[in-house]
DNA sequence: CTGCATCCCATTCGATACTG
DNA sequence: CAGTATCGAATGGGATGCAG
């Protein structure tokens, strides 16, 4: 472990019940409208979706493009800066997968999978 | 971004208000007694410290060595498996530091530093 | 010394309704 | 369509006291 310890800074950006899923969809699909994100994540409320997107926007991870028209249209996408965190997300994802494996070996299968339903739905398994 | 998206798995291990600090101390000092950890983090309550250590223990990141004696003595250390996540922690830390810089450039200094007091105390700045 | 139990508060999050 | 406003429930975390 290094000096400084800004691990929490990284955590704060990614934590928030829905941020990883949102990023996953935006990384996968490129640009999405608010309603498309909602359709992709049926369980998230508008309030939460808005809040998390605003958070990501403040951190320059997500770009919000507003079209002044009726009916309104707003598109979200990953910023260039945001794309640079792909490696970190990849690293976290890889470690996460390996860790699930590790826990399975330690305790046996079918455990510690709670609270990942959303992701599992997403992947469709 | 990959398939699967187990980013949340990684997050769940590190999240918990004190886990990064605990890991930081254990990585730095090797083996520490419960009371030493408390001294190192004056603001954490016993309840929280216990809970987070149990969590890390369950995830095979931290080892708990109990000496059966009076008065009791319990030592905590990073497991071999836990040491293998050094690279991930390093990556998150690096990104976190760079991100603080990035935000400073975007919005100007002296912002977004809230909620890092603990870490800052730790580093003594 | 270590750490569990209890109570309590603050913040988060979901549900619902409403608006430009 | 893309939000905001309001309320209540759930959850996380702090303070304190007791126990092995």
């Amino acid at each position: 472990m290094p000096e400084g310890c800004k691990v929490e800074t990284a955590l704060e950006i990614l934590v928030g019940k829905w941020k990883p899923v949102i990023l996953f969809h935006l990384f996968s699909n490129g640009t999405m409208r608010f309603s498309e994100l909602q359709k992709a994540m049926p369980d998230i409320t508008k309030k939460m979706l808005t809040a998390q997107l605003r958070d990501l926007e403040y951190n320059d991870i997500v770009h919000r493009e507003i079209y002044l028209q009726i009916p309104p249209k707003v598109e979200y996408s990953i910023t260039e800066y945001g794309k640079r965190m792909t490696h970190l997300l990849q690293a976290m994802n890889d470690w996460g997968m390996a860790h699930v494996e590790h826990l399975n070996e330690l305790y046996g299968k079918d455990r510690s999978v709670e609270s990942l339903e959303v992701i599992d739905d997403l992947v469709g398994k």
Side-chain angles (χ1 to χ4, degrees), chain A residues 81-99:
Chain A
Y81 173 76
K83 289 177 185 169
R84 289 191 227 135
M85 64 183 299
T86 308
H87 282 103
L88 180 63
L89 289 171
Q90 182 78 53
M92 293 178 65
N93 185 64
D94 291 350
W95 184 85
M97 291 182 63
H99 187 64

Side-chain angles (χ1 to χ4, degrees), chain A residues 20-32 37 40 78 122:
Chain A
V21 204
I22 294 174
L23 291 177
F24 176 75
H25 283 293
L26 286 179
F27 266 103
S28 303
N29 301 342
T31 295
M32 297 179 77
L37 283 165
I78 307 286
L122 181 62

Side-chain angles (χ1 to χ4, degrees), chain A residues 6 30 42 45 59 62 84-85 87 98:
Chain A
K6 291 261 179 290
T45 62
N59 282 289
V62 157
R84 289 191 227 135
M85 64 183 299
H87 282 103

Side-chain angles (χ1 to χ4, degrees), chain A residues 36-48:
Chain A
E36 292 178 316
L37 283 165
Q38 270 195 297
K39 254 170 259 157
M41 297 169 281
D43 288 344
I44 193 173
T45 62
K46 285 189 273 192
K47 178 186 172 185
M48 272 297 99

